[in-house]
């Protein structure tokens, strides 16, 4: 019961929940390091400054928006932008080749299994165009009823489009969806879509979420859905 009390005031919202929509990078696996290494390699080749602190600002935002941030206002031709994005993506794809089930964050697969057993619909909604490849390497494709990614909609997070598209594919109303996110841009998108939000990470980063938890291992379905 002690566990349940912290969720009590959320219960009217939680009672409606029928689906869980997961972000990928930073929630189920930690690919931020690979994105960092790929951008760092590109930045060094191009003589641009880029460090781990800068990388934190790229969490959850698209490839193009990331490059624009790294360029700090420097204007390049569309052709050059495309070449830089492709080169970074080539490095990223090289790094993710080594991903296996062992790269799932602690508790991730147990949570997917438990939610599925409880009858919730499960979806992935990642801003990454590489998400289907990563999900496949992690060995968790079969858990998801819908797999939405960076190529599924035009407007990336913080626009609500990817989450709304996912809810439509699931045939579940947005207010009956929980989004699990590690990035501010992702939470903004989920809130704009009218969904319940669980923020994974420190309050400085995900404090805007309805519920803030340090990791997916802390999402306890028996405590969240004790009233269902
Ligand atoms: C998000 C990452 O999941 O995907 C971002 O958090 C990344 O850092 C974005 O820029 C786009 O990924 P990709 O693989 O399509 O370049
Ligand atoms: Mg993320």
């Amino acid at each position: 019961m002690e566990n349940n009390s912290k969720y009590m005031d959320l219960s009217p919202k939680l009672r409606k929940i029928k689906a869980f929509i997961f972000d990928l990078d930073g929630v189920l696996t930690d690919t931020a390091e690979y994105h960092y290494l790929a951008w760092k390699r590109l930045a060094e080749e191009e003589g641009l400054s880029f460090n781990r602190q800068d990388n934190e600002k790229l969490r959850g935002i698209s490839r193009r928006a990331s490059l624009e941030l790294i360029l700090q206002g420097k204007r390049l031709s569309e052709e050059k932008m495309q070449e830089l994005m492709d080169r970074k993506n080539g490095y990223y794809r090289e790094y993710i080749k080594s991903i296996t089930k062992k790269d799932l964050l602690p508790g991730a697969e147990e949570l997917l299994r438990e939610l599925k057993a409880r009858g919730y619909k499960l979806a992935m909604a990642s801003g990454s165009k590489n998400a289907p490849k990563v999900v496949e390497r992690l060995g968790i494709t079969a858990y998801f009823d819908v797999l939405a990614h960076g190529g599924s909609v035009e407007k990336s997070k913080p626009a609500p489009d990817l989450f709304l598209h996912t809810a439509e594919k699931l045939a579940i109303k947005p207010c009956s969806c929980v989004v699990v996110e590690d990035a501010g841009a992702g939470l903004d998108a989920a809130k704009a879509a009218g969904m319940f939000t669980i923020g994974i990470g420190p309050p400085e980063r995900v404090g805007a979420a309805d519920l803030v938890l340090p990791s997916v291992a802390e999402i306890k379905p028996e405590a969240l859905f004790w009233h269902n």
Side-chain angles (χ1 to χ4, degrees):
M1 265 328 260
E2 193 212 319
N3 221 359
N4 295 342
S5 59
K6 79 175 176 195
Y7 301 110
M8 286 281 231
D9 52 343
L10 298 173
S11 67
K13 283 183 178 174
L14 292 172
R15 205 170 284 141
K16 292 194 229 161
I17 296 308
K18 295 192 169 67
F20 271 74
I21 304 178
F22 288 89
D23 173 50
L24 176 65
D25 297 332
V27 170
L28 296 177
T29 187
D30 202 358
T31 43
E33 182 66 13
Y34 296 130
H35 281 296
Y36 168 70
L37 292 173
W39 283 123
K40 178 80 183 154
R41 192 162 151 192
L42 182 84
E44 276 172 5
E45 286 167 355
E46 293 298 313
L48 300 162
S49 84
F50 182 67
N51 58 32
R52 283 182 189 279
Q53 219 178 328
D54 301 324
N55 191 55
E56 270 303 299
K57 295 184 206 128
L58 311 185
R59 205 178 266 269
I61 65 169
S62 73
R63 202 179 301 167
R64 183 176 289 271
S66 302
L67 178 57
E68 282 165 357
L69 270 181
I70 293 170
L71 290 172
Q72 294 178 26
K74 191 171 159 188
R75 308 274 296 177
L76 298 176
S77 68
E78 177 52 28
E79 198 186 353
K80 181 70 180 171
M81 290 288 284
Q82 204 55 61
E83 190 272 314
L84 293 180
M85 288 188 287
D86 290 348
R87 202 183 331 150
K88 181 267 173 176
N89 196 47
Y91 298 151
Y92 182 69
R93 288 180 79 104
E94 205 178 298
Y95 300 143
I96 61 172
K97 271 191 194 145
S98 59
I99 288 183
T100 67
K101 208 176 245 313
K102 291 203 193 87
D103 292 289
L104 276 169
L105 286 169
E109 189 159 17
E110 292 79 351
L111 176 64
L112 295 174
R113 197 180 298 124
E114 187 175 351
L115 290 172
K116 195 106 191 133
R118 284 175 177 257
Y120 292 97
K121 291 268 186 201
L122 301 184
M124 156 81 39
S126 164
S128 170
K129 292 186 171 137
N130 294 295
K133 199 46 38 251
V134 174
V135 169
E136 187 191 309
R137 290 196 202 286
L138 291 170
I140 52 171
T141 309
Y143 287 105
F144 298 107
D145 300 288
V146 170
L147 270 174
H149 53 83
S152 305
V153 293
E154 255 175 51
K155 280 197 193 163
S156 42
K157 302 172 189 177
D161 302 35
L162 187 64
F163 291 128
L164 292 174
H165 164 86
T166 307
E168 200 181 310
K169 288 257 170 204
L170 285 168
I172 305 267
K173 283 192 207 141
C175 65
S176 293
C177 296
V178 173
V179 168
V180 188
E181 258 290 350
D182 71 312
L187 289 175
D188 290 346
K191 283 177 163 274
M195 298 178 178
F196 184 87
T197 49
I198 299 181
I200 300 296
E204 309 85 80
R205 195 176 76 216
V206 294
D210 294 302
L211 181 61
V212 175
L213 295 170
S215 72
V216 280
E218 296 304 316
I219 302 177
K220 307 281 185 207
E222 78 278 7
L224 278 170
F225 301 112
W226 56 278
H227 43 60
N228 285 2

